[in-house]
Amino acid sequence: EWETHCRGALNNGVTQDEIRAIIHVIGIYCGVPQALECFRIARKVLSEQPA
């Protein structure tokens, strides 16, 4: 589900730095393992974005 939200956020103008900040908050509230999974998915989504 995070992949869909990450794509939607980027399509709506959220920056990579803002995505990073969001994931840090996820780490605080949901735990480090969940944040690491979100970083992994965000990296995949960002690599698929056009340059």
Side-chain angles (χ1 to χ4, degrees):
E1 198 170 316
W2 168 247
E3 186 172 343
T4 301
H5 289 288
C6 190
R7 284 183 202 287
L10 291 168
N11 289 335
N12 284 305
V14 176
T15 67
Q16 289 184 23
D17 287 337
E18 290 170 326
I19 294 287
R20 185 177 297 115
I22 291 164
I23 296 172
H24 282 119
V25 172
I26 289 170
I28 292 167
Y29 286 99
C30 301
V32 173
Q34 187 63 46
L36 292 174
E37 180 68 9
C38 289
F39 272 122
R40 185 188 66 75
I41 293 168
R43 186 177 300 119
K44 174 184 177 268
V45 169
L46 290 168
S47 71
E48 296 168 355
Q49 293 288 312

